[in-house]
Amino acid sequence: MSTQANAKPQFGKWRSFFWPIHTWELKKFIPMAMLFFFINFNYTILRDTKDALIVNAPGSGAEAIPFLKLWGVLPFAILFMLLYSKLSNILSKPKLFYSMISVFIGFFAIFALLLYPNRDFLHPHVLCDSLQTTLPKGFGGLIAILRNWTYSLFYIMSELWGSVALSLLFWGFANDTTRSAESKRFYGVFGIGGNLAMIVSGWFIIYFSRVRDHLPAGADAWGMSLNYMVAMVLVSAVIIMGIYWWINKNVLTDTRFYDTSEQQKAKKEKPKMSLSESFKYLARSRYVCLLALLVISYGVAINLVEVTWKDQLKMLMKGNSNDYSAFMGSFSQYTGMVTILMMLFVSSNVIRRFGWTTAALITPIVLLVTGAGFFTFIIFKDSLSGFIAMFGTSPLMLAVVFGQIQNIMSKSTKYSLFDPTKEMAYIPLDQEAKVKGKAAIDVVGARLGKSGGALVNQGLILFLGSIAVITPYVAAIMFLIMFVWIWAAKGLGKMYNELSHEKDGKAAAPKAEPELAKTTN
């Protein structure tokens, strides 16, 4: 009798370890996970397709990416942030969600139907050939953006999908509709749906990248693959809007999951402010500044590593877009598998058992360790050529493999730990800081991070000439960024814990002071 009694708590303990969601909560959890699934499905396809498109375009290569992120992605990100902030004061949240998704649907449909089929007419190859002969070699990446401007637009919109649809729309929606206690169990597991999407989308990318095997000689195999993948993105975007509509109709009307009075009270805590007033308000907060520093540090670090790795990958694939795309599809599958394992066995358990700070520190530490291994191998690969020959492979192949491992580990920790802890950090803030602060940090902050890494790469390429030559300098800068990131995570962790405890204990307080004020210096 006593043995059976003792067995039940033990079973419950192990069940909560692997699956911390109660059965009655599935009505809310499953559609949110599905929403994440389809948003991340599109994100993976667009991420892998945009790289294959721009890296293997005529007269282009990995050196075009730093120029494109700085001179293309950043300005468009600022415009999107301004548009989102303006519309957030005009439209209801559902209409704002549908409007943003519709912008992406419209662009990718136009690209597939009009821009790509007429690329030879639209791309100014003669002008760019002339510029190529007159400007220094370091300007090759900038010229490539102009030469393939329709591809550049595709790259920009694909980058913005991750910032707008994933970070701004999904996580903003989740933060508005998820209670603080729920987030500690939900957020670590939400990503399972998103990373299952990486595995599924990776399979589709591989499958459609190999359509050339069934096409006659001379056919545009890459164009066919591109059309199939864009079609999947459009269908998925329509499904996303359908799921969002269902959640609003069936979940947010259930008081077990969502209490409108809580949101109405939160909105009354702070009046609506203009965009300039919001920036001034947020700039006074050390809490928000540290959160922005985390996002910027990740963007700089991952961009510094990825450009070097993609340059190695292009050389291995000899500029073939289909082969490049198929490899990236496999990379996405492996990343999804590792991330799911991290989410099941590490993410929610680390957050619940060891706290926010420990979970937030794991990502920069992993990037520091794996980045050190990757750059060490790249820099000294010629000295190791004799040793490498013993394994029957080439330094280039091992460089790509090492880079793949580094990117898989960095992305899996990012999805399973960095993203959940970053989103949890918004919860203790008041409604004004959540909406305007999230728009500034996730869209502009993330782009500043990637553009900062792009600026480093761009400046070094202009002065030194090639990605291979700048690698040692890139490695040194990345390690410096890692230490800044770790310092910011420690400082934010202390403030997050204090603010969370204060907010959780405010239920009995008749008049609560705005939480963000507690974080200002």
Side-chain angles (χ1 to χ4, degrees):
M1 191 79 173
S2 59
T3 304
Q4 293 177 347
N6 292 333
K8 288 185 178 180
Q10 188 69 20
F11 174 78
K13 178 181 177 181
W14 282 105
R15 180 186 179 279
S16 65
F17 183 89
F18 291 105
W19 186 254
I21 312 299
H22 299 298
T23 302
W24 64 272
E25 294 175 319
L26 294 178
K27 179 181 178 181
K28 180 177 184 178
F29 174 79
I30 289 177
M32 290 296 292
M34 289 177 62
L35 189 64
F36 200 178
F37 175 95
F38 284 103
I39 290 176
N40 209 46
F41 179 88
N42 277 3
Y43 173 72
T44 304
I45 290 178
L46 293 173
R47 181 192 64 194
D48 294 348
T49 303
K50 72 177 174 59
D51 286 338
L53 195 62
I54 202 70
V55 170
N56 299 291
S60 186
E63 66 275 4
I65 294 177
F67 291 90
L68 191 52
K69 287 181 182 292
L70 183 63
W71 302 108
V73 177
L74 180 60
F76 272 77
I78 294 174
L79 290 175
F80 256 89
M81 186 274 295
L82 294 172
L83 177 64
Y84 180 87
S85 297
K86 183 68 175 178
L87 292 179
S88 69
N89 291 329
I90 301 173
L91 301 177
S92 64
K93 289 184 178 180
K95 289 182 179 178
L96 180 61
F97 186 96
Y98 299 136
S99 298
M100 292 291 101
I101 297 296
S102 297
V103 170
F104 289 98
I105 291 176
F107 171 78
F108 291 119
I110 291 172
F111 180 85
L113 297 175
L114 296 176
L115 297 183
Y116 184 81
N118 296 288
R119 63 194 182 280
D120 292 332
F121 172 75
L122 295 171
H123 291 174
H125 292 293
V126 175
L127 172 62
C128 291
D129 288 340
S130 176
L131 293 174
Q132 197 82 53
T133 58
T134 57
L135 294 176
K137 181 181 178 182
F139 284 85
L142 193 60
I143 296 172
I145 296 174
L146 176 62
R147 181 191 299 273
N148 305 287
W149 68 269
T150 64
Y151 297 177
S152 298
L153 280 179
F154 187 95
Y155 188 101
I156 291 167
M157 293 300 291
S158 299
E159 280 275 308
L160 290 179
W161 176 268
S163 296
V164 176
L166 185 58
S167 297
L168 202 57
L169 296 181
F170 173 79
W171 283 114
F173 181 54
N175 290 340
D176 280 343
T177 58
T178 306
R179 298 182 177 95
S180 182
E182 289 176 331
S183 70
K184 295 179 181 179
R185 295 178 293 106
F186 279 26
Y187 279 15
V189 193
F190 268 161
I192 292 178
N195 286 279
L196 282 173
M198 293 183 69
I199 299 174
V200 176
S201 59
W203 182 87
F204 277 109
I205 291 170
I206 295 171
Y207 178 80
F208 288 124
S209 295
R210 292 174 176 166
V211 295
R212 64 177 179 175
D213 298 336
H214 310 288
L215 295 176
D220 183 9
W222 174 236
M224 185 69 69
S225 300
L226 189 62
N227 285 336
Y228 280 126
M229 288 187 277
V230 170
M232 288 191 295
V233 168
L234 296 177
V235 171
S236 178
V238 173
I239 294 174
I240 287 167
M241 291 195 289
I243 295 173
Y244 180 82
W245 173 85
W246 192 91
I247 292 173
N248 277 274
K249 185 177 185 297
N250 297 283
V251 177
L252 301 189
T253 53
D254 191 332
T255 55
R256 294 177 301 169
F257 306 119
Y258 185 75
D259 188 352
T260 55
S261 63
E262 292 179 4
Q263 289 297 313
Q264 291 171 356
K265 181 180 179 181
K267 290 179 181 179
K268 292 178 182 178
E269 290 178 357
K270 272 289 180 181
K272 289 289 183 182
M273 299 189 298
S274 68
L275 184 62
S276 61
E277 290 173 335
S278 297
F279 273 115
K280 292 177 182 178
Y281 178 70
L282 295 173
R284 294 195 299 268
S285 170
R286 184 170 183 264
Y287 185 99
V288 176
C289 288
L290 288 174
L291 183 54
L293 189 56
L294 261 63
V295 176
I296 293 171
S297 296
Y298 175 81
V300 172
I302 199 66
N303 186 68
L304 290 176
V305 178
E306 281 188 342
V307 171
T308 304
W309 178 55
K310 289 171 183 176
D311 181 62
Q312 301 286 314
L313 181 57
K314 180 189 177 181
M315 288 189 288
L316 182 65
M317 298 300 167
K318 300 178 181 179
N320 186 288
S321 297
N322 287 86
D323 290 341
Y324 189 104
S325 179
F327 181 92
M328 292 303 295
S330 299
F331 164 75
S332 295
Q333 285 186 316
Y334 294 140
T335 302
M337 293 174 188
V338 174
T339 305
I340 288 175
L341 292 176
M342 290 279 291
M343 288 180 169
L344 288 174
F345 297 102
V346 178
S347 177
S348 60
N349 293 297
V350 168
I351 295 172
R352 287 185 291 125
R353 296 170 187 270
F354 299 102
W356 189 95
T357 304
T358 299
L361 285 171
I362 290 177
T363 303
I365 291 174
V366 167
L367 262 70
L368 181 63
V369 174
T370 57
F374 172 66
F375 280 113
T376 298
F377 178 80
I378 294 294
I379 294 170
F380 299 105
K381 65 180 180 179
D382 291 336
S383 302
L384 299 172
S385 58
F387 176 75
I388 294 171
M390 296 172 57
F391 295 93
T393 186
S394 66
L396 179 59
M397 173 61 77
L398 284 186
V400 171
V401 172
F402 270 70
Q404 184 181 28
I405 294 172
Q406 194 280 334
N407 275 268
I408 288 173
M409 291 304 301
S410 62
K411 290 185 182 299
S412 63
T413 53
K414 191 260 187 184
Y415 298 144
S416 61
L417 290 167
F418 179 81
D419 284 345
T421 53
K422 181 194 69 174
E423 300 306 327
M424 287 175 65
Y426 288 108
I427 293 177
L429 301 179
D430 58 55
Q431 188 68 15
E432 186 70 29
K434 283 182 182 179
V435 175
K436 301 292 175 67
K438 188 169 180 60
I441 291 174
D442 283 352
V443 178
V444 178
R447 297 278 72 81
L448 280 176
K450 291 190 175 182
S451 298
L455 183 61
V456 171
N457 278 316
Q458 181 183 141
L460 292 173
I461 289 172
L462 287 173
F463 282 104
L464 300 176
S466 70
I467 293 176
V469 176
I470 71 173
T471 300
Y473 303 96
V474 170
I477 295 171
M478 195 201 80
F479 296 146
L480 177 62
I481 295 296
M482 290 296 97
F483 290 118
V484 172
W485 185 353
I486 291 171
W487 169 82
K490 287 183 177 180
L492 183 60
K494 182 179 179 181
M495 300 180 74
Y496 169 81
N497 291 330
E498 292 174 354
L499 198 56
S500 295
H501 289 317
E502 180 182 347
K503 187 171 183 178
D504 290 341
K506 268 188 175 181
K511 289 184 179 180
E513 189 177 15
E515 290 86 355
L516 189 58
K518 299 297 182 181
T519 69
T520 56
N521 288 330

